[in-house]
PDB file of all heavy atoms in Angstrom:
ATOM      1  N   PRO A   8     -18.601   5.819  -3.090  1.00 71.00           N
ATOM      2  CA  PRO A   8     -19.431   4.744  -3.635  1.00 71.00           C
ATOM      3  C   PRO A   8     -19.590   4.701  -5.155  1.00 71.00           C
ATOM      4  O   PRO A   8     -19.605   3.614  -5.688  1.00 71.00           O
ATOM      5  CB  PRO A   8     -20.782   4.993  -2.956  1.00 71.00           C
ATOM      6  CG  PRO A   8     -20.715   6.233  -2.202  1.00 71.00           C
ATOM      7  CD  PRO A   8     -19.313   6.699  -2.165  1.00 71.00           C
ATOM      8  N   TYR A  11     -17.808   2.276  -7.362  1.00 89.00           N
ATOM      9  CA  TYR A  11     -18.116   0.836  -7.371  1.00 89.00           C
ATOM     10  C   TYR A  11     -19.066   0.492  -8.504  1.00 89.00           C
ATOM     11  O   TYR A  11     -18.915  -0.548  -9.109  1.00 89.00           O
ATOM     12  CB  TYR A  11     -18.594   0.423  -5.959  1.00 89.00           C
ATOM     13  CG  TYR A  11     -17.348   0.330  -5.090  1.00 89.00           C
ATOM     14  CD1 TYR A  11     -16.790   1.456  -4.539  1.00 89.00           C
ATOM     15  CD2 TYR A  11     -16.688  -0.879  -4.954  1.00 89.00           C
ATOM     16  CE1 TYR A  11     -15.549   1.393  -3.864  1.00 89.00           C
ATOM     17  CE2 TYR A  11     -15.478  -0.955  -4.295  1.00 89.00           C
ATOM     18  CZ  TYR A  11     -14.923   0.162  -3.745  1.00 89.00           C
ATOM     19  OH  TYR A  11     -13.691   0.107  -3.110  1.00 89.00           O
ATOM     20  N   TYR A  20     -13.062  -9.814  -8.293  1.00 97.00           N
ATOM     21  CA  TYR A  20     -12.736  -9.602  -6.867  1.00 97.00           C
ATOM     22  C   TYR A  20     -12.783 -10.940  -6.129  1.00 97.00           C
ATOM     23  O   TYR A  20     -11.894 -11.259  -5.335  1.00 97.00           O
ATOM     24  CB  TYR A  20     -13.781  -8.627  -6.293  1.00 97.00           C
ATOM     25  CG  TYR A  20     -13.620  -8.362  -4.790  1.00 97.00           C
ATOM     26  CD1 TYR A  20     -12.518  -7.680  -4.272  1.00 97.00           C
ATOM     27  CD2 TYR A  20     -14.572  -8.823  -3.889  1.00 97.00           C
ATOM     28  CE1 TYR A  20     -12.368  -7.442  -2.924  1.00 97.00           C
ATOM     29  CE2 TYR A  20     -14.427  -8.607  -2.526  1.00 97.00           C
ATOM     30  CZ  TYR A  20     -13.349  -7.879  -2.053  1.00 97.00           C
ATOM     31  OH  TYR A  20     -13.222  -7.664  -0.715  1.00 97.00           O
ATOM     32  N   TYR A  25     -10.750 -14.368  -2.904  1.00 97.00           N
ATOM     33  CA  TYR A  25     -11.417 -15.463  -2.192  1.00 97.00           C
ATOM     34  C   TYR A  25     -11.279 -16.845  -2.836  1.00 97.00           C
ATOM     35  O   TYR A  25     -11.630 -17.828  -2.159  1.00 97.00           O
ATOM     36  CB  TYR A  25     -12.886 -15.103  -1.979  1.00 97.00           C
ATOM     37  CG  TYR A  25     -13.056 -13.950  -1.016  1.00 97.00           C
ATOM     38  CD1 TYR A  25     -13.434 -12.693  -1.477  1.00 97.00           C
ATOM     39  CD2 TYR A  25     -12.773 -14.084   0.338  1.00 97.00           C
ATOM     40  CE1 TYR A  25     -13.528 -11.589  -0.607  1.00 97.00           C
ATOM     41  CE2 TYR A  25     -12.826 -12.976   1.222  1.00 97.00           C
ATOM     42  CZ  TYR A  25     -13.245 -11.762   0.746  1.00 97.00           C
ATOM     43  OH  TYR A  25     -13.361 -10.708   1.623  1.00 97.00           O
ATOM     44  N   GLY A  63     -22.549  -3.393   2.890  1.00 98.00           N
ATOM     45  CA  GLY A  63     -21.374  -3.486   2.033  1.00 98.00           C
ATOM     46  C   GLY A  63     -20.815  -4.884   1.947  1.00 98.00           C
ATOM     47  O   GLY A  63     -19.629  -5.096   1.894  1.00 98.00           O
ATOM     48  N   ALA A  64     -21.715  -5.855   1.876  1.00 98.00           N
ATOM     49  CA  ALA A  64     -21.366  -7.296   1.845  1.00 98.00           C
ATOM     50  C   ALA A  64     -20.521  -7.617   0.602  1.00 98.00           C
ATOM     51  O   ALA A  64     -19.818  -8.620   0.566  1.00 98.00           O
ATOM     52  CB  ALA A  64     -22.562  -8.188   1.933  1.00 98.00           C
ATOM     53  N   GLY A  65     -20.676  -6.798  -0.456  1.00 98.00           N
ATOM     54  CA  GLY A  65     -20.004  -7.141  -1.742  1.00 98.00           C
ATOM     55  C   GLY A  65     -20.559  -8.425  -2.277  1.00 98.00           C
ATOM     56  O   GLY A  65     -21.706  -8.784  -1.989  1.00 98.00           O
ATOM     57  N   HIS A  70     -18.932 -13.809   5.796  1.00 98.00           N
ATOM     58  CA  HIS A  70     -19.144 -13.117   7.103  1.00 98.00           C
ATOM     59  C   HIS A  70     -20.275 -13.724   7.909  1.00 98.00           C
ATOM     60  O   HIS A  70     -20.294 -13.601   9.119  1.00 98.00           O
ATOM     61  CB  HIS A  70     -19.382 -11.638   6.898  1.00 98.00           C
ATOM     62  CG  HIS A  70     -18.148 -10.869   6.539  1.00 98.00           C
ATOM     63  ND1 HIS A  70     -17.944 -10.280   5.313  1.00 98.00           N
ATOM     64  CD2 HIS A  70     -17.034 -10.616   7.265  1.00 98.00           C
ATOM     65  CE1 HIS A  70     -16.817  -9.666   5.308  1.00 98.00           C
ATOM     66  NE2 HIS A  70     -16.215  -9.846   6.456  1.00 98.00           N
ATOM     67  N   ASP A  85     -25.607  -4.242  -0.307  1.00 98.00           N
ATOM     68  CA  ASP A  85     -24.429  -3.588  -0.935  1.00 98.00           C
ATOM     69  C   ASP A  85     -24.912  -2.416  -1.818  1.00 98.00           C
ATOM     70  O   ASP A  85     -26.073  -2.380  -2.229  1.00 98.00           O
ATOM     71  CB  ASP A  85     -23.619  -4.604  -1.773  1.00 98.00           C
ATOM     72  CG  ASP A  85     -22.214  -4.062  -2.056  1.00 98.00           C
ATOM     73  OD1 ASP A  85     -21.345  -4.176  -1.150  1.00 98.00           O
ATOM     74  OD2 ASP A  85     -21.994  -3.519  -3.161  1.00 98.00           O
ATOM     75  N   TYR A  86     -23.948  -1.567  -2.125  1.00 97.00           N
ATOM     76  CA  TYR A  86     -24.221  -0.429  -3.006  1.00 97.00           C
ATOM     77  C   TYR A  86     -24.355  -0.835  -4.459  1.00 97.00           C
ATOM     78  O   TYR A  86     -25.139  -0.240  -5.221  1.00 97.00           O
ATOM     79  CB  TYR A  86     -23.068   0.510  -2.866  1.00 97.00           C
ATOM     80  CG  TYR A  86     -23.188   1.847  -3.559  1.00 97.00           C
ATOM     81  CD1 TYR A  86     -23.935   2.885  -3.043  1.00 97.00           C
ATOM     82  CD2 TYR A  86     -22.673   2.013  -4.852  1.00 97.00           C
ATOM     83  CE1 TYR A  86     -24.083   4.069  -3.704  1.00 97.00           C
ATOM     84  CE2 TYR A  86     -22.806   3.193  -5.540  1.00 97.00           C
ATOM     85  CZ  TYR A  86     -23.522   4.222  -4.973  1.00 97.00           C
ATOM     86  OH  TYR A  86     -23.645   5.368  -5.646  1.00 97.00           O
ATOM     87  N   ASN A  90     -22.602  -6.868  -7.270  1.00 98.00           N
ATOM     88  CA  ASN A  90     -22.248  -7.705  -6.127  1.00 98.00           C
ATOM     89  C   ASN A  90     -23.376  -8.551  -5.636  1.00 98.00           C
ATOM     90  O   ASN A  90     -23.195  -9.733  -5.316  1.00 98.00           O
ATOM     91  CB  ASN A  90     -21.726  -6.770  -5.004  1.00 98.00           C
ATOM     92  CG  ASN A  90     -20.344  -6.278  -5.290  1.00 98.00           C
ATOM     93  OD1 ASN A  90     -19.519  -6.909  -5.968  1.00 98.00           O
ATOM     94  ND2 ASN A  90     -20.010  -5.098  -4.769  1.00 98.00           N
ATOM     95  N   ASP A 141     -26.521   2.134   1.071  1.00 98.00           N
ATOM     96  CA  ASP A 141     -25.496   3.171   0.888  1.00 98.00           C
ATOM     97  C   ASP A 141     -25.244   3.743   2.290  1.00 98.00           C
ATOM     98  O   ASP A 141     -26.077   4.460   2.851  1.00 98.00           O
ATOM     99  CB  ASP A 141     -26.062   4.254  -0.042  1.00 98.00           C
ATOM    100  CG  ASP A 141     -24.977   5.342  -0.285  1.00 98.00           C
ATOM    101  OD1 ASP A 141     -23.929   5.355   0.491  1.00 98.00           O
ATOM    102  OD2 ASP A 141     -25.141   6.178  -1.174  1.00 98.00           O
ATOM    103  N   VAL A 142     -24.082   3.391   2.831  1.00 98.00           N
ATOM    104  CA  VAL A 142     -23.753   3.762   4.219  1.00 98.00           C
ATOM    105  C   VAL A 142     -23.637   5.294   4.393  1.00 98.00           C
ATOM    106  O   VAL A 142     -23.597   5.746   5.531  1.00 98.00           O
ATOM    107  CB  VAL A 142     -22.498   3.039   4.765  1.00 98.00           C
ATOM    108  CG1 VAL A 142     -22.682   1.532   4.767  1.00 98.00           C
ATOM    109  CG2 VAL A 142     -21.286   3.422   3.944  1.00 98.00           C
ATOM    110  N   GLY A 162     -17.909  -5.200   6.621  1.00 98.00           N
ATOM    111  CA  GLY A 162     -16.514  -5.649   6.435  1.00 98.00           C
ATOM    112  C   GLY A 162     -15.905  -4.999   5.234  1.00 98.00           C
ATOM    113  O   GLY A 162     -16.454  -5.037   4.130  1.00 98.00           O
ATOM    114  N   ALA A 163     -14.765  -4.344   5.433  1.00 97.00           N
ATOM    115  CA  ALA A 163     -13.981  -3.781   4.333  1.00 97.00           C
ATOM    116  C   ALA A 163     -14.824  -2.874   3.449  1.00 97.00           C
ATOM    117  O   ALA A 163     -14.625  -2.869   2.217  1.00 97.00           O
ATOM    118  CB  ALA A 163     -13.374  -4.904   3.515  1.00 97.00           C
ATOM    119  N   CYS A 164     -15.728  -2.120   4.011  1.00 98.00           N
ATOM    120  CA  CYS A 164     -16.563  -1.262   3.226  1.00 98.00           C
ATOM    121  C   CYS A 164     -16.402   0.208   3.568  1.00 98.00           C
ATOM    122  O   CYS A 164     -16.237   1.053   2.662  1.00 98.00           O
ATOM    123  CB  CYS A 164     -18.054  -1.665   3.485  1.00 98.00           C
ATOM    124  SG  CYS A 164     -19.241  -0.457   2.780  1.00 98.00           S
ATOM    125  N   ALA A 168     -15.964   3.493   1.147  1.00 96.00           N
ATOM    126  CA  ALA A 168     -17.069   4.421   0.963  1.00 96.00           C
ATOM    127  C   ALA A 168     -16.803   5.830   1.480  1.00 96.00           C
ATOM    128  O   ALA A 168     -17.498   6.792   1.024  1.00 96.00           O
ATOM    129  CB  ALA A 168     -18.313   3.872   1.687  1.00 96.00           C
ATOM    130  N   TYR A 203      -6.307  -1.083  -2.878  1.00 95.00           N
ATOM    131  CA  TYR A 203      -6.249  -2.549  -3.204  1.00 95.00           C
ATOM    132  C   TYR A 203      -6.560  -2.619  -4.686  1.00 95.00           C
ATOM    133  O   TYR A 203      -7.180  -1.705  -5.286  1.00 95.00           O
ATOM    134  CB  TYR A 203      -7.212  -3.364  -2.373  1.00 95.00           C
ATOM    135  CG  TYR A 203      -8.680  -3.073  -2.594  1.00 95.00           C
ATOM    136  CD1 TYR A 203      -9.431  -3.985  -3.340  1.00 95.00           C
ATOM    137  CD2 TYR A 203      -9.330  -2.010  -2.080  1.00 95.00           C
ATOM    138  CE1 TYR A 203     -10.782  -3.765  -3.545  1.00 95.00           C
ATOM    139  CE2 TYR A 203     -10.685  -1.778  -2.265  1.00 95.00           C
ATOM    140  CZ  TYR A 203     -11.395  -2.635  -3.000  1.00 95.00           C
ATOM    141  OH  TYR A 203     -12.745  -2.410  -3.238  1.00 95.00           O
TER     142      TYR A 203
HETATM  143  C1  SAM B   1     -13.555  -4.135  -0.686  1.00 74.95           C
HETATM  144  S1  SAM B   1     -15.213  -4.491  -1.001  1.00 74.95           S
HETATM  145  C2  SAM B   1     -15.624  -5.498   0.400  1.00 74.95           C
HETATM  146  C3  SAM B   1     -16.595  -6.541   0.097  1.00 74.95           C
HETATM  147  C4  SAM B   1     -16.823  -7.551   1.215  1.00 74.95           C
HETATM  148  N1  SAM B   1     -17.515  -6.929   2.313  1.00 74.95           N
HETATM  149  C5  SAM B   1     -15.553  -8.157   1.661  1.00 74.95           C
HETATM  150  O1  SAM B   1     -15.290  -8.209   2.898  1.00 74.95           O
HETATM  151  O2  SAM B   1     -14.810  -8.748   0.852  1.00 74.95           O
HETATM  152  C6  SAM B   1     -15.973  -2.970  -0.689  1.00 74.95           C
HETATM  153  C7  SAM B   1     -17.447  -3.005  -0.775  1.00 74.95           C
HETATM  154  O3  SAM B   1     -18.073  -1.836  -0.331  1.00 74.95           O
HETATM  155  C8  SAM B   1     -19.187  -1.531  -1.180  1.00 74.95           C
HETATM  156  N2  SAM B   1     -19.480  -0.105  -1.016  1.00 74.95           N
HETATM  157  C9  SAM B   1     -18.779   0.943  -1.455  1.00 74.95           C
HETATM  158  N3  SAM B   1     -19.379   2.089  -1.060  1.00 74.95           N
HETATM  159  C10 SAM B   1     -20.485   1.746  -0.399  1.00 74.95           C
HETATM  160  C11 SAM B   1     -21.544   2.485   0.188  1.00 74.95           C
HETATM  161  N4  SAM B   1     -21.530   3.785   0.203  1.00 74.95           N
HETATM  162  N5  SAM B   1     -22.555   1.775   0.772  1.00 74.95           N
HETATM  163  C12 SAM B   1     -22.561   0.444   0.818  1.00 74.95           C
HETATM  164  N6  SAM B   1     -21.590  -0.313   0.234  1.00 74.95           N
HETATM  165  C13 SAM B   1     -20.585   0.343  -0.367  1.00 74.95           C
HETATM  166  C14 SAM B   1     -18.716  -1.909  -2.550  1.00 74.95           C
HETATM  167  O4  SAM B   1     -19.759  -2.056  -3.492  1.00 74.95           O
HETATM  168  C15 SAM B   1     -17.927  -3.185  -2.228  1.00 74.95           C
HETATM  169  O5  SAM B   1     -18.824  -4.316  -2.247  1.00 74.95           O
END
Side-chain angles (χ1 to χ4, degrees):
Y11 283 80
Y20 178 68
Y25 293 107
H70 284 113
D85 197 81
Y86 184 84
N90 283 333
D141 182 347
V142 296
C164 169
Y203 68 102

